[in-house]
Amino acid sequence: MNKPLNIKYQARQKARSPSDIISQVHDLHEKGSTKKAITLTKRYAKKYHSNPQILVALAALCVSYEQNNYATTLLSKVLAKDPKNVRGLYNRGLLYLKEGNLKQAEKIFSKAVILDPYYTSAIQNLLYIFVQTENVQAIIDWFKNNDKVFLHF
């Protein structure tokens, strides 16, 4: 017989690593306890407010359960402290993309790619935006200027 999940108890537990925290929240969501996952996400975000790695990962989980506003809040905190946080930028770009704001998504993905020229997911999303906006010249220019990166694909 499974005991009901006690959110306060889970939030008090010492998580050993960011991946433990993310796994714990993800498992709740996968078991159909999305409300409990959201509650635990907010508790962990408060507890680990100065850990950008955890906040970015929690924001990504928030997107998966349609908590886009909270994800934006978490990413804004991360990027306010570290505007060069590539994973934070990438996830913020995904939110803009999800909202249909291609112009802002392009701007954010471009920043991420400048900071990490081999960030494949950011590159793919940037090229996707160029295709969606039928910006053929941007695609041609990107491949001309990034021939070394292209060899990594």
Side-chain angles (χ1 to χ4, degrees):
M1 180 188 306
N2 289 338
K3 290 184 178 181
L5 300 167
N6 183 327
I7 297 301
K8 288 181 182 178
Y9 171 75
Q10 289 182 336
R12 282 193 307 263
Q13 282 182 314
K14 294 270 186 200
R16 292 187 180 93
S17 70
S19 63
D20 289 342
I21 291 168
I22 302 314
S23 293
Q24 193 175 24
V25 173
H26 178 71
D27 290 347
L28 277 173
H29 176 63
E30 287 297 308
K31 291 175 183 172
S33 300
T34 302
K35 281 187 176 186
K36 290 180 181 182
I38 293 166
T39 300
L40 193 57
T41 296
K42 290 180 179 182
R43 286 177 194 248
Y44 278 139
K46 203 177 227 184
K47 185 174 182 176
Y48 297 99
H49 63 90
S50 62
N51 186 322
Q53 182 182 6
I54 291 174
L55 293 180
V56 169
L58 290 172
L61 283 175
C62 285
V63 173
S64 73
Y65 36 81
E66 300 297 324
Q67 295 294 309
N68 297 344
N69 289 339
Y70 193 64
T72 300
T73 300
L74 293 176
L75 293 170
S76 295
K77 287 179 183 180
V78 169
L79 295 171
K81 289 181 182 176
D82 180 10
K84 294 182 178 183
N85 185 303
V86 178
R87 297 219 25 111
L89 287 167
Y90 173 75
N91 282 287
R92 187 63 187 110
L94 286 179
L95 281 167
Y96 281 127
L97 196 59
K98 192 172 183 176
E99 295 166 359
N101 190 340
L102 298 182
K103 192 174 232 178
Q104 277 300 107
E106 178 183 340
K107 181 179 169 183
I108 297 295
F109 286 132
S110 293
K111 282 183 187 178
V113 171
I114 288 168
L115 293 168
D116 183 355
Y118 298 100
Y119 197 164
T120 308
S121 297
I123 294 166
Q124 289 170 336
N125 281 302
L126 188 58
L127 293 174
Y128 168 80
I129 292 167
F130 294 156
V131 169
Q132 291 300 308
T133 57
E134 298 180 1
N135 192 343
V136 177
Q137 190 57 50
I139 296 169
I140 293 167
D141 291 345
W142 190 90
F143 280 106
K144 278 184 185 176
N145 296 325
N146 297 284
D147 58 335
K148 291 176 186 171
V149 174
F150 178 66
L151 296 174
H152 264 4
F153 275 94

